Amino acid sequence: MLITLPKAIILPAIAGYDILGQLSYPKKMLSAEPSPLSQAIPVDKICYNEQGLVPAIIQDYLDGTVLMMAWMNRESLSKTLETGETWFWSRSRGKLWHKGETSGHIQKVRELRYDCDSDALLIGVEQVGDIACHTGERSCFHQVDGEKAPPSADTLSELFAVICSRRDHPQPGSYTCQLFAGGDNKILKKIGEEGAEVVMACKDDDPEAIANEAADLLYHTLVALAHHHVDLRAVYRKLQERRR
C-alpha cells in the first residue's frame, strides 16, 4: 500500500537551546501540542534492514558538509527525536551511543529528512566543537587517494577556504593576494565598485550581467571577511536567524 508521508521538517526559529544544551520551545508551544521534532520522522514506518537498522547521513546544517554516516534503530531514532541530539546504534558494541558522550562533540539536530524509499535518513546538525570524526577531523569523509582533504561544502564555503589559504600562504601573481596586500583601502574600494555595478546591471534588467556582477561582489566581500578574520559561518548563522 502506498503511504504518503511528510518528507522533512526544519526546526522553527522560535526553538532554542537551554543552558544544558537541550532543545527547548516556549511553554505555550509545548503545552499546545507535541514539538515539531517529535513528529519529524514516522519511526514505525521507516524501512529498517534485517538487523533493524537504517543508515543515517549526518550533514552540517550551515554549509552542507557531510560529516559522518552511522546506523540508527527505532530506539536511537526515537531518542534523537526526543532529545534533539543524535543517538546511534553501535554494531561493534551492541548498544546505543549518544554522539559526543565522551568527547563533548554532541550534535544538535536542526533538520531531519528521509528518502523516497524510507530506508535512509539525512540529518542536519549543529556540530559542537566542529569535530565529528573520532580522529579529530571535522568530517569522517576526509580521505582522498590516501591523503587528508577537507570534504566538499557549498560553493561559497569552498571559495572562502581558498581565499583564506591565499591570505595565510601568499602566492606570486595571485589577484587575491594583491587585494590582501592593499588592505582595506583596496578591498573596500572594490566592494564599492562591484556594488555599484550590481545596481547598474539590475537597472538594465540583464540577467547575465546581474549574475556576473553579483559573483564579483560576493567574492570581494569574502575577501573582506577573510581580511578581518570573520568566519563565513558567522554570516551563515546570521542568515539562519533571519529565516522567516
Side-chain angles (χ1 to χ4, degrees), residues 20-236:
L20 297 178
Q22 299 293 320
L23 190 70
S24 63
Y25 293 84
K27 290 183 179 179
K28 183 178 180 181
M29 182 178 178
L30 286 172
S31 61
E33 58 184 55
S35 74
L37 186 58
S38 67
Q39 302 173 4
I41 301 289
V43 177
D44 292 330
K45 294 178 181 177
I46 292 297
C47 296
Y48 303 91
N49 65 16
E50 301 81 12
Q51 290 76 45
L53 303 174
V54 61
I57 303 297
I58 310 302
Q59 186 177 36
D60 185 276
Y61 85 107
L62 287 176
D63 65 18
T65 299
V66 175
L67 300 176
M68 59 181 285
M69 191 285 283
W71 296 93
M72 287 186 170
N73 59 11
R74 285 179 176 81
E75 186 178 0
S76 63
L77 178 54
S78 294
K79 288 187 72 68
T80 296
L81 296 173
E82 290 168 5
T83 65
E85 297 176 1
T86 55
W87 287 74
F88 304 107
W89 176 258
S90 172
R91 293 177 298 171
S92 60
R93 291 177 286 175
K95 66 176 186 177
L96 292 176
W97 61 285
H98 179 203
K99 175 63 179 174
E101 61 187 346
T102 56
S103 65
H105 299 147
I106 63 174
Q107 295 172 338
K108 299 179 180 180
V109 177
R110 292 302 186 93
E111 181 181 8
L112 298 104
R113 297 174 181 267
Y114 54 99
D115 75 343
C116 54
D117 295 318
S118 302
D119 60 2
L121 306 176
L122 180 63
I123 303 179
V125 304
E126 177 185 353
Q127 176 64 65
V128 173
D130 208 25
I131 297 175
C133 184
H134 72 283
T135 65
E137 296 291 326
R138 181 187 182 205
S139 169
C140 294
F141 297 95
H142 60 263
Q143 299 184 95
V144 178
D145 295 330
E147 301 292 332
K148 287 186 178 181
S152 298
D154 63 88
T155 300
L156 280 182
S157 295
E158 292 188 345
L159 176 58
F160 187 66
V162 173
I163 290 171
C164 289
S165 177
R166 294 290 187 273
R167 178 197 62 197
D168 299 336
H169 308 286
Q171 296 183 8
S174 166
Y175 173 68
T176 302
C177 292
Q178 292 174 17
L179 288 173
F180 283 128
D184 270 339
N185 286 342
K186 190 174 184 67
I187 297 170
L188 300 182
K189 179 182 178 183
K190 288 300 299 182
I191 290 178
E193 292 174 356
E194 300 302 342
E197 290 179 8
V198 170
V199 171
M200 294 307 297
C202 289
K203 184 175 181 299
D204 293 338
D205 194 21
D206 183 340
E208 180 67 19
I210 293 171
N212 282 331
E213 300 304 342
D216 287 342
L217 179 58
L218 287 171
Y219 160 74
H220 287 93
T221 300
L222 292 177
V223 173
L225 290 176
H227 182 63
H228 289 276
H229 296 273
V230 176
D231 195 340
L232 178 59
R233 294 174 63 79
V235 178
Y236 281 0

Side-chain angles (χ1 to χ4, degrees), residues 230-244:
V230 176
D231 195 340
L232 178 59
R233 294 174 63 79
V235 178
Y236 281 0
R237 290 188 184 96
K238 292 298 181 182
L239 291 173
Q240 282 283 336
E241 292 172 4
R242 297 175 187 181
R243 287 180 62 174
R244 295 290 187 271

